[in-house]
Amino acid sequence: MNQVAKVIVDVPARQVDRPFDYLIPTELLEIVQVGTRVSVPFGNRKVQGFVVAIQSEADTDKLKTIDAAMDIVPVLNQELLELGDWIAAETLSFRVSVYQAMLPAALRAKYEKYFIRLDESDEELEALFEGAETLDFKKAEQNELLPALKRYLHDGEIEIAYEVKNKAVKKKAKVVERLASVERIDETIQDLPKNAKAKARVLLFLAEQTNATLPLSELREKTKASASTITSLEKEGLIRITEQVVGRDPYKGRQFEQSEPLALLPAQQKALDAILAARSAETFLLHGVTGSGKTEIYLQSIAEVLEQGKEAIVLVPEISLTPQMVERFKSRFGEEVAVLHSALSHGEKYDEWRKIERGEAKVAVGARSAIFAPFENIGIIIIDEEHESSYKQEENPRYHARDVAIWRAKRYGCPVVLGSATPSLESFARAQKEVYTLLELPERINQQVLPKVEVVDMREELRSENRTEFSVDLLEKIKERIERKEQVVLLLNKRGYASFVMCRDCGFVMECPNCDISLTYHQAGNRMKCHYCGHEEQVPSNCPSCGSEHIRYFGTGTQKIEESLTKLIPEARIIRMDVDTTRTKGAHEKLLTRFKNQEADILLGTQMIAKGLDFPNITLVGVLNADTMLFLPDFRAAERTFQLLTQVSGRAGRHELPGEVVVQSYAPEHYSIRFAKEHDYLGFYQHEMRMRKRGAYPPFYYLTLISVSDQNERKAIQTIQEMSRYLQTKLTEKSLILGPVPSTISRINNKYRYQCMIKYKVEPELKKRTKDIARSLSKRTG
Ligand code: ADP
Ligand code: ZN
Ligand code: ZN
């Protein structure tokens, strides 16, 4: 009997999104398992694939055979494979794309495409290949050899190969292993001549170690031993030196002081008890104001889960995954914590992932994709700041980490804890309907009052001839804090705030030649960039339209704010934090440390400063432009504004000193700003729910956006109209189809974009219908 593997090949196309059968060659029988990646012949090339099942089959004559295994051990377990299938079905993605998304980037295969010479006798071919066995595709392309090679390919004299390049280079290091027993070491030391002090030092050091091995570099550093000392010990057979693959620990060398569980307050205890009492998959919504002690609840429930021999996943939004946050987990659980952070290099992330896979780490802390941590006995899944939009992946597969968490929790019968000071409307509505269990922490620890929020009407400032970005009030208050040696956080809300170049004389705005959107100004190099297609150009010195010299950068970037603030308060020491100043690795952390050490009075930054900051000396938070988001065509604009204002207000007065918040706005009467001022989540929730109901938006209706893009505008319109007509006939009467209309950005990279929006309550057929559409379209385009 032969073994047959069912393989999902890495060709993201509708037609091949199903398993293909391959014979497992005898020599790979022990290696190829469910979840192993393999290289298989597919058409006339070789591709990578995932083995999703193995069966015995009798007649296998006609089957192709697996070429090679890419892994020694499977990279996906049965649970993750099934999860992948579910996500693929839910998000209308290809299974292979989902599997890839579940793996750390370093494991994601990068193809090197090249030709292999099969016919050794052909001289011309040998010349083309310059005598080598293989020829790089790109090189062949550059040398214009492709037409000739195409003929050889057709005749079967060469073949195309796709080689998988693993980007994660495993790091190797020399390690020292103690061979001699402690007794023998003792004896040896006794017998050593007096001048062999270095040797004695090394031996003593080794005898004291609890671990059998340690890195050579560490040994040398700690004992100051020379290379020759080590070599002679090795010669005497007391130690052995080998090369080992070592995990890179990005937090290595940093000391985390062990932290002990705090005695919980009654509200905290109640929440913890409820979570720990969950006997099956149950989703909790932990609604607690900033500083109410949510994180301590996470820590203590994880401790209990570990006690039971199980594992925990903690998701934190990328921007709040600060060293401070990591430290809280590391100092409680030490080495058992793996951190999956996008700021790590691919290799580092791979190492952290391997720690989980090997069972060395029991707690995974990370951003969205950490939800795929390859644990096999999950005891709890925690999603902090559950309202954050970054939990939804914006590209295919468009999964939401919350849904994935709930799926995995069902599988393991464990609780999910969604924590937030400002829960998403969807989650709070589910808690109201008791789909989720609501847990409330209404007060801050130590009953600190929430900071007082003052809203300044910037229109008034303009009327009174104040043309700066700072209201008189805010400026006064900043000066006060500087005098008192307290600290200030200033937020510039960048979302919806374009920095563009405009001619002051004729109003000409620089736009991308490929996309219908204005170019964004980048101070570095004085260049204009398109954030959609990458087009770049220099800022012109004269307006291309009227020739005026008064064409310049318009809009307010953090850098400009910094400049005007320095003019207004020359003595202010400012730290600016935005994409420009945090580009290099570790920069984010360095800036925060400097601020923490009070090397500056003011921390000025974008959204990235709104979260996770917990410094005792911050007593004033200023929001320079609270409302820019409100003008975006997004039904969540009010919710996002409320969330941001609440979050950033939470940065002030977290410790002994009382805090104050100044919010500058051109729309101070807007309800999102009014409710944020009062710290009134419930009031906001109720108001916003009424607005959503009226507008037929989530959570009352589901939305599905169908968009079409094509270089040919007429074809794009035709297709979207066809789709919309088709759906009109297939969907129930209660569903609304809006559009078709041009998309918000109606052209990206020279492709015209049209869309229609479907609003529906129950539409059991919708998934199937959209799938049908996708299938028929992919057929059409071949
Ligand atoms: P949240 O996650 O809700 O913002 P934290 O868990 O960060 O709140 O708690 C805010 C502060 O209060 C932290 O400094 C934390 O150490 C402290 N804290 C939390 N729980 C307790 C407790 N039971 N007793 C004393 N201090 C606590
Ligand atoms: Zn002009
Ligand atoms: Zn563009």
Side-chain angles (χ1 to χ4, degrees), residues 239-277:
I239 59 172
R240 176 166 55 205
I241 293 174
T242 46
E243 280 221 325
Q244 272 189 15
V245 176
V246 293
R248 283 152 286 203
D249 182 352
Y251 297 93
K252 200 175 144 228
R254 212 173 302 164
Q255 292 298 320
F256 293 101
E257 218 168 287
Q258 175 76 27
S259 80
E260 297 300 328
L262 303 169
L264 296 183
L265 297 176
Q268 283 178 309
Q269 189 65 51
K270 211 170 132 206
L272 178 68
D273 290 346
I275 294 166
L276 296 181

Side-chain angles (χ1 to χ4, degrees), residues 44 111 156 171 199 301 314 340 438 514 629 639 653 775:
N44 60 349
Y111 290 130
K171 199 173 157 191
K199 257 188 183 177
S301 42
V314 184
L340 300 160
L438 184 63
N514 310 318
M629 271 192 288
E639 187 181 0
R775 200 169 298 134

Side-chain angles (χ1 to χ4, degrees), residues 293-339:
K294 295 187 291 295
T295 312
E296 187 60 32
I297 297 178
Y298 304 154
L299 292 169
Q300 297 200 18
S301 42
I302 294 169
E304 177 61 28
V305 161
L306 296 181
E307 193 72 17
Q308 295 165 9
K310 296 182 181 170
E311 301 130 359
I313 298 178
V314 184
L315 298 190
V316 177
E318 193 70 64
I319 40 176
S320 349
L321 200 49
T322 55
Q324 274 188 327
M325 190 71 179
V326 170
E327 188 179 333
R328 292 186 73 176
F329 287 88
K330 285 251 176 190
S331 56
R332 197 65 62 87
F333 306 115
E335 296 285 301
E336 294 201 301
V337 179
V339 180

Side-chain angles (χ1 to χ4, degrees), residues 457-525:
D457 188 342
M458 290 305 275
R459 293 168 304 192
E460 291 293 327
E461 300 287 319
L462 263 183
R463 265 174 233 138
S464 56
E465 303 284 302
N466 176 4
R467 302 209 172 275
T468 71
E469 299 89 344
F470 299 90
S471 58
V472 175
D473 244 20
L474 180 57
L475 216 51
E476 253 339 283
K477 292 199 156 110
I478 295 174
K479 285 182 188 154
E480 237 172 67
R481 308 298 141 137
I482 296 178
E483 249 160 54
R484 296 211 299 255
K485 306 234 177 314
E486 291 169 7
Q487 287 177 297
V488 181
V489 166
L490 290 181
L491 173 84
L492 180 74
N493 185 359
K494 288 286 271 192
R495 217 179 275 164
Y497 214 96
S499 336
F500 51 94
V501 162
M502 191 173 91
C503 171
R504 302 253 162 147
D505 286 331
C506 77
F508 172 86
V509 170
M510 287 184 70
E511 288 184 348
C512 175
N514 310 318
C515 313
D516 282 336
I517 192 152
S518 51
L519 295 172
T520 303
Y521 179 72
H522 284 249
Q523 194 113 15

